[in-house]
Amino acid sequence: MVQFGHTWPAAPQNFQQWASDVIRIERFDSTGTSIGGALEFEAWAGDVDQDVYMGVFLRAADGTLVALHGLQGVSVARSTVHHEENWWYVTIPEGIIGGASGLAPTYTCGSIELALAPDVNECDASPCDEDAICTNELIGYSCECRDGFEGDGMSCIWGSWRSEMWQLVVECDEEKEAGWRVHEVELFT
């Protein structure tokens, strides 16, 4: 993606292609001095799946990408302000960019460049055991065996599942002279 005269690298591993344009944010006070502080904004991120996590990346001065979405206090969530789909609300608290302990801005003047990319839903590839539930997570997934099964989610075996007491009633509509018996019963939940 080429924007603002720079070529952005491909979206990082475990993320799909870029979903937003590059967002350049320049903040100055009335004297023209660059200012920092907390940052909140909305961004439209194209037509993305409703059940996806969104990552936000800062382009550092050297051109490398820095993932912000995993840092303390940074959030990327679906916007509740817009009635249209695919708007994302990004919150970056004070101290994440700039300041003594924060990440350096993209440019020495204090402006930053950001872009959004949706997480790959690894559960689409069915990586878990057939008797497990896959949960997509930001940069990864987790597998958990279903009730009645034991294991790590990648391998689940029937375990010692105990549920409430069950009562099974077997009836026959026809009268049998010699009686009848049930050969086998299987229960599934």
Side-chain angles (χ1 to χ4, degrees), residues 44-168:
W44 188 78
D47 188 22
V48 295
D49 189 5
Q50 291 296 315
D51 298 323
V52 74
Y53 292 97
M54 188 66 72
V56 60
F57 297 88
L58 169 75
R59 189 176 73 80
D62 65 1
T64 60
L65 298 176
V66 179
L68 300 181
H69 48 267
L71 301 178
Q72 179 76 26
V74 174
S75 68
V76 184
R78 291 207 177 267
S79 176
T80 57
V81 177
H82 285 273
H83 65 278
E84 300 169 348
E85 294 181 356
N86 300 319
W87 280 90
W88 294 82
Y89 192 78
V90 179
T91 303
I92 302 171
E94 186 170 358
I96 297 291
I97 301 172
S101 61
L103 297 167
T106 308
Y107 298 100
T108 55
C109 67
S111 64
I112 59 173
E113 287 183 359
L114 303 163
L116 302 177
D119 175 52
V120 170
N121 186 346
E122 292 87 357
C123 291
D124 288 346
S126 303
C128 304
D129 188 270
E130 65 182 18
D131 294 312
I133 297 170
C134 184
T135 303
N136 185 43
E137 298 171 351
L138 184 60
I139 312 176
Y141 63 95
S142 64
C143 301
E144 185 177 343
C145 294
R146 297 180 189 276
D147 286 343
F149 293 86
E150 297 174 352
D152 62 3
M154 299 305 287
S155 175
C156 300
I157 57 171
W158 179 253
S160 56
W161 181 62
R162 291 178 179 81
S163 182
E164 66 276 355
M165 291 293 289
W166 288 50
Q167 182 177 5
L168 176 66

Side-chain angles (χ1 to χ4, degrees), residues 4 8 10 15 40-41 78 111 129 146 170 176-177 179:
F4 296 119
W8 271 60
F15 285 87
E40 296 181 19
F41 64 93
R78 291 207 177 267
S111 64
D129 188 270
R146 297 180 189 276
V170 180
K176 304 287 185 187
E177 291 182 22

